[in-house]
Amino acid sequence: MRLEKDCPAPVCGVDEAGRGPWAGPVSAAAVILRPRARIAGLDDSKKLTARQRDALEPEIKHRALAWAVAFASVEEIAELNILRATGLAMRRAVEALSTLPAFALVDGNYAFDLPCPVRTVIGGDATSASIAAASILAKTARDRAMVELDAAHPGYGFAEHKGYGVPAHQQALKALGPCPAHRATWAPLRALMAAGADVQVIAAE
């Protein structure tokens, strides 16, 4: 937690999940880890398997001083754009913390408007324990939300691909058309539906 030690305490790590998919909300998590917390296997959520993330989630929640997860909806993404919607989800997560942070470490290079001072950290989920913890909570929460959307809108495979533009998702869109869970303003999705042809696949986070 070297980065955390350089910041006023308490410091929270903040990260998001789901900026790239064609469907579903964007999620964000904020985590304040206890100063001496050591969580074996903690890493960038993208480097972990779903099973590893699911195993770490309760451990993070148990060892954190405070944690919170929040979302911005498909409708809010359409209204605000994905960057501003991500910032909204992050603000909601930080504001929901049971302990008010004095400082926030945010993964990436964009300083979102949060209710405390912010330091951006490119690749922060690989260098900050609290950001790594936040990335895992944001990812596991969003994955569960996509499983719920799969039940509400069967046929698209949301539970498997989590809304990313993989070939199976493209084929389902061609056959079924978009549903309310889709980000209707998304340029790749619009292009696919307009042209009826394959578009470049977006890699999953």
Side-chain angles (χ1 to χ4, degrees), residues 9-10 96 173:
L173 277 164

Side-chain angles (χ1 to χ4, degrees), residues 54-183:
D54 289 342
L56 283 165
E57 181 185 25
E59 184 75 3
I60 291 167
K61 292 178 178 179
H62 175 69
R63 292 182 176 272
L65 178 65
W67 64 270
V69 176
F71 294 88
S73 68
V74 170
E75 294 77 15
E76 288 169 328
I77 292 170
E79 178 183 354
L80 299 173
N81 75 41
I82 187 59
L83 183 66
R84 293 172 63 194
T86 298
L88 176 61
M90 287 185 173
R91 169 172 277 276
R92 286 170 172 167
V94 174
E95 290 177 340
L97 288 169
S98 58
T99 297
L100 181 67
F103 206 84
L105 294 170
V106 178
D107 185 51
N109 62 0
Y110 191 89
F112 292 99
D113 180 21
L114 301 182
C116 62
V118 171
R119 175 181 172 184
T120 60
V121 186
I122 297 174
D125 42 12
T127 58
S128 162
S130 58
I131 293 178
S135 76
I136 291 168
L137 295 193
K139 176 63 174 168
T140 53
R142 186 180 186 279
D143 282 358
R144 281 194 295 272
M146 295 309 296
V147 171
E148 294 174 2
L149 284 176
D150 185 73
H153 304 285
Y156 296 96
F158 291 147
E160 287 74 37
H161 54 65
K162 306 303 188 289
Y164 285 91
V166 299
H169 192 183
Q170 294 182 28
Q171 293 302 318
L173 277 164
K174 291 177 185 178
L176 303 173
C179 74
H182 282 100
R183 300 176 183 177

Side-chain angles (χ1 to χ4, degrees), residues 1-4 11-14 33 42-44 105-106 121 123-135:
M1 297 178 65
R2 177 178 55 82
L3 288 176
E4 286 81 355
V11 57
C12 68
V14 184
L33 290 177
L42 193 63
D43 203 346
D44 173 4
L105 294 170
V106 178
V121 186
D125 42 12
T127 58
S128 162
S130 58
I131 293 178
S135 76

